[in-house]
Amino acid sequence: MQEIKSYLAPRSLDEAVKAMAAGDVTVFCGGTDLTPQTDSGAKRYGATLMNIRRIEGLSGIAEAGDSIRIGAATTVTEVRRDPLIARAAPILAEAAEHFASDQIRNAASLGGNICNASPAGDMINPLLVLDAAVELASWADGALRTRSVPLENFFTGPRRHVKRPDELLTAIVFRKPATDFVGWFRKSGPRPALEISTVSVGIGGNLSDGVFRNVRVAMGSVAPTPLRAHGVEAALEGRPLDADSIRAAVAAADADATPIDDVRASAWYRKHLVKVFTEEVLNHVLGN
Amino acid sequence: MDQKVTAPTIEKKTLIGQRVKKPDAPDKAIGKTRYINDMVLPQMLIGKVLFAGRPHARIVSIDTAAAERLPGVHAVLTGKDAAGLRFGFVRDNAALKDKVRCEHDEIAAVAAESEEIARQAIGLIEVVYEDLPGVFTPEDGAREDAPQIHDNFPGNKSLYFEFSHGEVAAAEADSDFVVDNVFRPHHVTHCCMGTSCAIADFDHNGKLTIWTQTQYPYNYKMDLAPALGLQPGDIRVIQPPVGGAFGSKLDVYPYEPIAALLAKRTGRPVKVIYSREEEFKASPTRQPAIIHMRTGCTRDGTLTFRTADVLLDNGAYTSWGPTIPVIMMRTVSGHYRVPVVDFKAQAIYTNNPYAGSFRGYGNVQTTWATAQQMDMLADMVDMEPLAFHLKNSQVSGEITPQKSFLRECVLVECLETAAGASDYSRKRKEYAAARAEPGRYKKGIGLASSIHNAGGAKIHKSDGIGTILKVDDYARVTVITGASEIGQGIDAVITLIVAEELGVPLEHVLIVNNDSDIAPWDVGVHASRTTFIAGNGTRRAARKAKAQILAAAEKMLGEPADTLELRGGSVVRDACGTPLIKLDRLLRQMHFQAEPELVMVTDYYEPKSEPEGAKHVSDHSAAYSHAVHVAEITVDTLTGEITVDKITMAQDVGRVINRMGLEAQIEGGLAIGLGYALSENMLLDRGLLKNPCFRDYKLLTAPEMPPLDLHFIESDCAEGPYGAKGISELPTIVIAPAIANALYNATGVRVFDPPMSPEKVARAIDAQRQAAGG
């Protein structure tokens, strides 16, 4: 039987990462993934349970130069309601809108959704489209160290990522999209409310004079990690958005997605849906 | 005394058909209700169960020594502690098992000071299993070389039922059209908000008190006794408020005798309560079935025959699930006028979870088939579909081949109302014509109906109820009744009827119906029977009390009893409403006079229905009822998602008693039916449940409830209280095939195995496209 030996609720980042450097810490923020996972035995608590909600500066959404910085403890509800996000990155607000239920949105944090590293993580998909990076903080040699990792390189497998156990994810940062940026997010599940994505598709890029550039496409629940669909991106990059390029993008979506059969859907249906959503989103951009 | 005060007259007002709130609602809404799950008794221990976690195995050895040594553990029991104590319909079950026959088989149980210690002790029990080849479909279980699940049930054969009427071969020869399909209704479960829970305690005389969620407290004693080696009379059943039952508490399940065995061993009260995961794995399911159905009709649209060959996946043990043919055959023989019928149903043991009863009992599965075949035949004959349904509708006075006597039958009115209000015929034609046109989203409309017992079902020797009613010196009424409240709203109905009959405020009626040592006998909450049976019992008891009161008033006031009435807390002149004496004052005068009397009456009501009988030819319910549902949907033909845009429903309710309760029952019943139709599914992989959680078992939520257009048709049932019929199961029964028929109308595809999940619909549409060469 596993016992939590101590509970910490640090006020400062230094305090938090020092504790993490010292050893076996389970980070608690919203608890919406952690609680069911520890209850079911899928995950074990470390000796120290550390609540990071009180750490100063760990939540909130702010402009920093030409970037937007979202603190890791920011809740999905805060993302959903934030005027800056609504203006500058509506694809993120759209994903927050379809994220679980009100109760879960109120508790779940953006950082937690990323660290949970589920291929179905609904906030990860639009952040990949926005080419976000995550900030990781740790304590080494008597000082606070931080590093930045592009979100695309963050995930290494289902529930696995490059963050070391002594590192705390502190923020998500992405460049404010240009005015000609367009982005859409689409997910699906067997019921409209409170749903884990069967698949999700996010597509974004700069669209001017009918040509799509800097295209980034993300897919959820079709691979061991949240996926950047480079094949679809290549099919669209620098080309006029028309019936031909859409057809090519749909074919590439079929190739990029490597889903499995599980309790939520078969591989066939997931492949079918990514094609449907890729076509739907692109047709929507075209105004069809 | 003779002071002249002119009291205002009291108008005659009826409560029947009004909106009355459930007496238990305010406490439930604010969280004050103390459910059984919340109960703590002094000295109470927590019981926990070790489940097998494998579908079929021999138990080689069990080592409980480490668990027994753990401080705080008071008892560890295994199969040997329940040896010889077999229970269940065919005595195939035991509280603790000597062999594993399904994933949730209870192998050992622990009673400890706390949940944590009990859990830890469970982890210390070492069991060595030798896995055996399993049986996971009834087809496999019926094979000659199939592994045997119970030694004493050769061929894995469980219950068998049949009913036959007329010559099928001749009727088929006379048929111009025959539809022939195999339907496969699936495993779903009740998902009660309150998980399964029982608390057991023995007194020094060896008498057991069990606090439980049961919905049939009297027969429960009889069913629990053999699991414990007790006499039924030595069991007292107390029913605290429960968080839902829906049929799942109509049998004894192993956690209940386990709690009692642990209590007996420890001499202390023991509570067993399931986690949500345990609830998903170990509570009963709806009975799955494989229904091979054939229905024929002539060119002019007259039904000629219907056959059903049914195979039931019995699961590992026999509870109510495999008894559903009793109701299935009533639908096969009675859903529309079918002159020739042949019905067979065989249940086969498998290593899957086993089914209990569930709202809509057997009829959900059968109507899924019959109502789709009616829709198919409607397209084959050259008739308006509504006209086809109407042509085959029974009318009042008809008797079905099984001798269900349809005294008041308003199927025609239900069909005309639902079809008319939804513009069914026009839309069905229009949507079918639009099927081939381009477009991702397709609209569809589907109609389905069914018949169900609405005046109880005499499957036991009696379908009656006892009622004790007393009126105290302050005109407060206590009704002591066998009718259990499991959330369905019977307390509101009883309150309303007493207030109607005795002219007292609703708040002055108290109901005692949670203790088998106090309240008189009742069959239990099932078969849509409680408003009908307990409503009659309550009304009869109230009328006896009223007769006693008015007789006393006649003596005291010198006015004939038949000119008096009870209204607004007073005795009044019936004709003009002039109050003559306050009721409480009259009651005190009755009590304190020279020849004192108290108002205490008893009643036993037995409905006019016939026992089911071995041949299943009997008028087994005191009433029957119909409902018609029209579902309007939009199908996303690419993702396969079905959005239900509207449901129009017309149901024969006999008479509305509590309008608010009726609406709530219809809405709740529809929610269960919609989940069955669209999203709920227990995913079993070789007997193991893959989605024992609400994350992956998809109950519909509030946003998915479509707008409802409800029409209550009042047929005024002669035997029902104020004309009422039982209502609660039909809403669950009819909606799924209505959506299936709408799906066909929209897309031309049919799904025979519910739920009609997005993936299944998308696959069916994709297969249709492939077949069409595109």
Side-chain angles (χ1 to χ4, degrees):
Chain A
M1 193 149 153
Q2 192 188 1
E3 279 178 41
I4 298 165
K5 303 261 190 295
S6 63
Y7 170 76
L8 293 178
R11 302 271 171 181
S12 76
L13 184 58
D14 282 11
E15 224 181 307
V17 291
K18 274 183 201 166
M20 291 177 82
D24 194 17
V25 173
T26 300
V27 172
F28 180 95
C29 193
T32 56
D33 282 318
L34 181 67
T35 312
Q37 286 167 11
T38 47
D39 275 358
S40 73
K43 188 172 178 144
R44 290 172 60 85
Y45 281 115
T48 301
L49 181 67
M50 184 171 77
N51 178 358
I52 59 167
R53 296 207 93 127
R54 294 181 197 172
I55 297 174
E56 220 162 289
L58 212 63
S59 49
I61 300 164
E63 284 184 271
D66 60 355
S67 289
I68 293 176
R69 187 177 191 283
I70 306 176
T74 306
T75 66
V76 176
T77 295
E78 285 162 344
V79 171
R80 182 175 173 228
R81 292 189 182 153
D82 189 76
L84 173 62
I85 295 293
R87 205 167 53 243
I91 186 174
L92 199 51
E94 173 72 12
E97 184 74 31
H98 293 285
F99 187 98
S101 65
D102 271 329
Q103 293 92 330
I104 295 172
R105 283 192 289 263
N106 287 343
S109 68
L110 205 53
N113 193 238
I114 292 169
C115 289
N116 188 47
S118 160
D122 275 346
M123 300 308 289
I124 297 168
N125 184 307
L127 289 170
L128 285 170
V129 171
L130 292 164
D131 206 19
V134 293
E135 282 180 10
L136 304 174
S138 58
W139 189 263
D141 304 325
L144 180 74
R145 314 277 166 173
T146 61
R147 61 173 177 140
S148 172
V149 177
L151 192 58
E152 193 193 346
N153 301 337
F154 184 75
F155 305 102
T156 56
R159 313 258 167 219
R160 291 203 309 272
H161 44 63
V162 300
K163 187 182 81 61
R164 299 190 311 266
D166 68 318
E167 285 181 313
L168 182 67
L169 193 154
T170 52
I172 299 98
V173 182
F174 55 88
R175 287 170 74 89
K176 229 189 304 177
T179 49
D180 63 353
F181 178 86
V182 290
W184 287 270
F185 172 80
R186 179 77 159 87
K187 74 179 258 193
S188 160
R191 70 181 171 207
L194 195 59
E195 190 48 275
I196 294 168
S197 295
T198 304
V199 301
S200 60
V201 172
I203 297 181
N206 301 98
L207 186 67
S208 55
D209 305 327
V211 176
F212 222 4
R213 289 193 178 79
N214 303 316
V215 182
R216 283 184 298 274
V217 178
M219 293 176 180
S221 304
V222 295
T225 65
L227 183 75
R228 270 284 292 276
H230 292 296
V232 183
E233 293 174 0
L236 295 167
E237 184 64 41
R239 295 179 59 184
L241 192 57
D242 56 21
D244 280 349
S245 60
I246 291 176
R247 206 173 301 121
V250 170
D254 190 37
D256 282 349
T258 56
I260 54 163
D261 293 323
D262 70 12
V263 294
R264 291 181 198 134
S266 69
W268 175 86
Y269 187 54
R270 290 193 158 112
K271 267 200 182 263
H272 175 75
L273 282 184
V274 288
K275 289 185 279 181
V276 168
F277 288 168
T278 301
E279 185 171 8
E280 177 185 352
V281 166
L282 293 172
N283 271 322
H284 180 74
V285 177
L286 262 187
N288 285 347
Chain B
M1 186 89 190
D2 262 340
Q3 251 180 321
K4 274 282 173 210
V5 178
T6 329
T9 57
I10 303 173
E11 298 295 315
K12 186 176 188 130
K13 279 198 297 225
T14 182
L15 285 164
I16 302 302
Q18 302 302 306
R19 303 175 65 85
V20 168
K21 76 170 184 240
K22 296 172 77 193
D24 53 334
D27 276 1
K28 282 183 174 163
I30 63 169
K32 199 176 174 194
T33 301
R34 194 179 300 165
Y35 292 91
I36 180 171
N37 311 60
D38 305 317
M39 273 184 65
V40 176
L41 296 180
Q43 296 285 301
M44 187 176 86
L45 300 172
I46 298 296
K48 201 121 192 82
V49 178
L50 173 67
F51 297 100
R54 61 218 317 118
H56 199 196
R58 194 170 74 81
I59 299 170
V60 178
S61 65
I62 305 182
D63 183 352
T64 59
E68 280 164 41
R69 278 196 304 271
L70 187 72
V73 171
H74 289 254
V76 183
L77 304 181
T78 64
K80 67 180 177 349
D81 300 295
L85 299 175
R86 302 188 81 77
F87 71 96
F89 290 14
V90 294
R91 295 288 188 268
D92 61 358
N93 209 340
L96 294 160
K97 312 297 198 274
D98 53 11
K99 181 196 169 185
V100 179
R101 299 183 183 85
C102 67
E103 182 186 17
H104 71 72
D105 261 353
E106 300 79 5
I107 304 303
V110 166
E113 293 285 347
S114 70
E115 166 95 30
E116 288 72 21
I117 297 170
R119 192 192 300 268
Q120 201 179 346
I122 287 292
L124 292 172
I125 299 171
E126 283 188 28
V127 188
V128 178
Y129 297 101
E130 180 193 317
D131 285 319
L132 300 169
V135 169
F136 304 108
T137 65
E139 296 103 317
D140 283 351
R143 279 187 230 289
E144 241 172 58
D145 58 347
Q148 291 297 293
I149 294 168
H150 291 272
D151 293 341
N152 51 341
F153 291 91
N156 292 321
K157 280 189 179 159
S158 175
L159 305 178
Y160 175 77
F161 296 86
E162 62 184 357
F163 171 77
S164 185
H165 181 85
E167 290 297 323
V168 172
E172 187 164 358
D174 291 342
S175 305
D176 296 305
F177 303 104
V178 175
V179 281
D180 182 330
N181 314 94
V182 177
F183 300 87
R184 291 174 178 267
H186 62 314
H187 279 102
V188 295
T189 187
H190 307 68
C191 298
C192 300
M193 282 207 280
T195 58
S196 296
C197 180
I199 303 172
D201 193 20
F202 281 87
D203 72 10
H204 56 280
N205 291 321
K207 180 168 179 177
L208 169 68
T209 299
I210 186 156
W211 289 262
T212 166
Q213 296 154 318
T214 188
Q215 55 191 92
Y216 79 122
Y218 302 92
N219 284 347
Y220 177 86
K221 301 205 280 191
M222 190 175 71
D223 290 351
L224 179 62
L228 301 169
L230 293 177
Q231 294 300 314
D234 285 333
I235 300 171
R236 177 184 187 185
V237 181
I238 298 182
Q239 303 157 274
V242 303
F246 311 110
S248 66
K249 307 300 190 296
L250 200 64
D251 197 1
V252 167
Y253 291 94
Y255 67 93
E256 297 165 297
I258 286 174
L261 290 170
L262 289 169
K264 187 155 201 180
R265 176 66 61 90
T266 60
R268 288 170 62 169
V270 175
K271 177 181 191 173
V272 175
I273 179 169
Y274 279 167
S275 69
R276 182 56 65 185
E277 185 180 340
E278 289 171 336
E279 180 76 6
F280 268 110
K281 287 184 175 168
S283 67
T285 73
R286 189 184 289 289
Q287 178 63 51
I290 301 166
I291 304 170
H292 179 195
M293 184 172 283
R294 301 167 73 244
T295 307
C297 73
T298 56
R299 194 163 283 110
D300 75 347
T302 306
L303 290 176
T304 47
F305 76 97
R306 187 185 281 143
T307 68
D309 208 338
V310 180
L311 202 53
L312 299 173
D313 177 349
N314 193 92
Y317 303 97
T318 302
S319 176
W320 280 103
T323 70
I324 61 167
V326 170
I327 293 301
M328 295 181 101
M329 64 172 79
R330 293 272 167 179
T331 310
V332 168
S333 68
H335 188 199
Y336 295 100
R337 189 185 301 119
V338 196
V340 174
V341 177
D342 188 61
F343 176 92
K344 289 185 186 67
Q346 174 70 56
I348 298 288
Y349 281 110
T350 68
N351 296 109
N352 286 329
Y354 59 102
S357 77
F358 194 170
R359 190 177 199 172
Y361 179 77
N363 207 350
V364 168
Q365 296 88 329
T366 318
T367 298
W368 172 250
T370 53
Q372 290 201 62
Q373 290 207 329
M374 285 299 288
D375 198 54
M376 295 177 205
L377 285 173
D379 277 332
M380 294 168 99
V381 297
D382 192 19
M383 271 175 100
E384 273 292 324
L386 179 63
F388 172 67
H389 285 86
L390 290 171
K391 187 178 179 90
N392 293 288
S393 291
Q394 294 109 330
V395 295
S396 294
E398 283 190 51
I399 297 172
T400 72
Q402 276 187 270
K403 300 282 181 277
S404 295
F405 177 31
L406 311 180
R407 290 171 194 82
E408 306 88 4
C409 177
V410 289
L411 176 55
V412 166
E413 289 87 330
C414 289
L415 281 164
E416 285 173 342
T417 302
S422 60
D423 201 5
Y424 165 73
S425 295
R426 185 188 66 76
K427 287 177 181 168
R428 188 178 188 274
K429 209 168 163 180
E430 183 188 317
Y431 297 155
R435 223 185 267 158
E437 287 169 16
R440 173 171 174 178
Y441 298 94
K442 294 288 178 190
K443 285 198 174 299
I445 189 165
L447 178 146
S449 69
S450 197
I451 181 172
H452 203 65
N453 46 276
K458 201 165 279 183
I459 53 172
H460 299 279
K461 287 173 186 156
S462 151
D463 198 19
I465 189 169
T467 309
I468 301 168
L469 186 148
K470 73 180 181 86
V471 191
D472 73 9
D473 291 348
Y474 311 102
R476 304 293 169 123
V477 185
T478 302
V479 183
I480 305 168
T481 168
S484 299
E485 172 65 67
I486 57 168
Q488 86 278 33
I490 192 59
D491 284 0
V493 167
I494 290 172
T495 303
L496 185 152
I497 290 173
V498 169
E500 173 77 9
E501 293 297 328
L502 300 181
V504 296
L506 293 161
E507 307 75 50
H508 289 189
V509 182
L510 175 78
I511 298 165
V512 176
N513 57 348
N514 60 355
D515 188 332
S516 68
D517 273 7
I518 295 172
W521 192 84
D522 174 61
V523 170
V525 180
H526 79 127
S528 300
R529 73 183 277 281
T530 312
T531 289
F532 190 97
I533 306 287
N536 272 328
T538 303
R539 184 166 76 154
R540 286 156 53 106
R543 287 191 172 174
K544 287 179 188 174
K546 182 166 151 184
Q548 186 186 346
I549 292 166
L550 293 184
E554 177 180 295
K555 267 202 284 183
M556 253 167 242
L557 303 168
E559 300 197 22
D562 60 6
T563 66
L564 302 175
E565 184 56 274
L566 298 177
R567 258 180 236 164
S570 291
V571 178
V572 301
R573 286 196 188 103
D574 191 19
C576 59
T578 306
L580 302 173
I581 184 169
K582 290 273 193 202
L583 178 59
D584 59 336
R585 191 160 164 213
L586 171 68
L587 287 159
R588 287 193 294 273
Q589 288 185 14
M590 288 165 70
H591 186 181
F592 302 129
Q593 65 190 340
E595 286 172 44
E597 58 177 321
L598 281 180
V599 179
M600 301 183 290
V601 301
T602 65
D603 180 74
Y604 181 74
Y605 169 68
E606 183 68 47
K608 289 177 195 156
S609 48
E610 299 167 1
E612 175 71 22
K615 299 226 176 292
H616 308 290
V617 179
S618 66
D619 190 20
H620 76 163
S621 181
Y624 303 86
S625 164
H626 289 88
V628 176
H629 291 191
V630 176
E632 293 177 64
I633 67 171
T634 303
V635 184
D636 180 335
T637 58
L638 293 180
T639 64
E641 286 163 329
I642 293 174
T643 306
V644 182
D645 301 315
K646 188 180 177 185
I647 295 169
T648 306
M649 185 220 73
Q651 181 170 334
D652 171 11
V653 302
R655 176 78 59 207
V656 180
I657 302 290
N658 177 11
R659 190 170 297 273
M660 185 148 61
L662 173 59
E663 288 168 358
Q665 278 284 63
I666 300 289
E667 288 167 12
L670 280 169
I672 291 177
L674 282 167
Y676 185 80
L678 296 174
S679 62
E680 291 184 48
N681 194 6
M682 293 176 75
L683 298 164
L684 290 164
D685 179 9
R686 300 185 68 76
L688 305 181
L689 182 64
K690 293 301 179 192
N691 57 338
C693 57
F694 283 129
R695 188 187 58 203
D696 291 321
Y697 183 93
K698 301 298 183 185
L699 276 185
L700 291 184
T701 63
E704 282 103 48
M705 274 305 277
L708 307 176
D709 181 17
L710 308 180
H711 299 265
F712 302 134
I713 312 295
E714 298 192 307
S715 62
D716 197 12
C717 175
E719 177 70 8
Y722 309 94
K725 290 183 175 182
I727 56 91
S728 83
E729 291 175 280
L730 275 168
T732 302
I733 290 163
V734 186
I735 188 59
I739 294 172
N741 291 340
L743 174 65
Y744 181 79
N745 182 231
T747 64
V749 305
R750 278 194 188 277
V751 171
F752 294 96
D753 50 336
M756 293 172 275
S757 65
E759 171 159 359
K760 228 179 268 173
V761 172
R763 272 183 190 276
I765 292 172
D766 191 64
Q768 183 194 46
R769 281 203 186 105
Q770 304 282 346

